[in-house]
Amino acid sequence: MRIRLYLAALSLVGGAGVATVSAPSASAAACSDIDVVAARGTFEPGTLGLIVGDPVYSALQKKLTGKNLSSYKVNYPADLSLTSAAQGNADLVNHVNRQATTCPNQRFILVGYSQGANVVDNSIGISSAGAVVGSPIVATIPAALESRVAAVLLFGNPIRAIGKSVTGTYQSRTIDFCAKGDPVCEAGGNDTLAHLGYTANADAAATFAAGKV
């Protein structure tokens, strides 16, 4: 049922009311101050993600004016296959490991929307198994790099619908938006359009991240 509701919401992407934004480059520049690593939602268009990733990156550029930012679009199918989130989990962790080795002073802001939130959850050690388009953990950011993750920004996070949330090491650095009635992150939610409204939270998310950098 949740998957059907989610797909119904996704069918509305690109219709009236969905704002367009200037798309950032999706490849991480060598040794920027902050690398914004974004995992898009299922079938979500856009460079980093039309609904969340692109507007959040734009908002971060405005908030972090004294910092040089780069971006990375997590490379994964973002579809309904059983291994999709796991592939994103592996790619995100591999990217952070590579960047951390190449750029020892670089920090990271992790952004995840819908299935992309599952990807981020897994990567910071919170399993999304059992959630809509979730998976078991296949890789985690090493403990030695945890302090370099400045902020975790989550939107429409499916694990919330099964009573879970980010706890532990990353809890104080995480903001997790779940719109009222969003069936992907709220158990019993029945407002499919609520899942498409997270562009409105981009500025609040960027403000939160700016306070952690």
Side-chain angles (χ1 to χ4, degrees):
M1 173 59 77
R2 286 200 196 106
I3 289 177
R4 288 200 298 272
L5 290 169
Y6 180 51
L7 289 174
L10 288 170
S11 70
L12 298 172
V13 171
V18 177
T20 59
V21 297
S22 177
S25 169
S27 59
C31 300
S32 62
D33 296 321
I34 303 289
D35 189 29
V36 180
V37 182
R40 69 198 188 281
T42 307
F43 304 130
E44 185 186 9
T47 303
L48 300 178
L50 176 66
I51 294 170
V52 168
D54 292 345
V56 167
Y57 187 78
S58 179
L60 285 168
Q61 287 179 308
K62 294 173 183 175
K63 298 289 183 183
L64 300 175
T65 54
K67 301 290 185 182
N68 178 28
L69 271 63
S70 60
S71 66
Y72 178 75
K73 178 181 181 177
V74 174
N75 182 16
Y76 83 115
D79 60 20
L80 297 177
S81 63
L82 294 177
T83 63
S84 178
Q87 290 179 63
N89 174 194
D91 184 72
L92 188 156
V93 172
N94 285 339
H95 172 75
V96 168
N97 283 334
R98 286 193 304 268
Q99 285 298 117
T101 299
T102 303
C103 306
N105 296 317
Q106 190 173 62
R107 300 182 72 196
F108 303 93
I109 294 174
L110 308 183
V111 181
Y113 166 51
S114 197
Q115 182 176 176
N118 285 337
V119 168
V120 174
D121 291 331
N122 283 6
S123 300
I124 61 174
I126 308 295
S127 176
S128 66
V132 173
V133 286
S135 79
I137 294 170
V138 297
T140 56
I141 294 170
L145 300 181
E146 288 174 353
S147 64
R148 292 174 62 177
V149 177
V152 178
L153 313 178
L154 303 173
F155 305 79
N157 189 354
I159 69 170
R160 291 185 55 170
I162 59 172
K164 297 179 67 175
S165 63
V166 174
T167 57
T169 301
Y170 293 95
Q171 185 173 9
S172 65
R173 286 173 272 165
T174 298
I175 190 165
D176 190 343
F177 297 93
C178 181
K180 182 175 177 57
D182 180 351
V184 175
C185 59
E186 180 184 292
N190 59 8
D191 183 0
T192 56
L193 287 176
H195 193 60
L196 300 179
Y198 291 105
T199 301
N201 301 114
D203 189 72
T207 298
F208 174 84
K212 302 295 181 181
V213 170

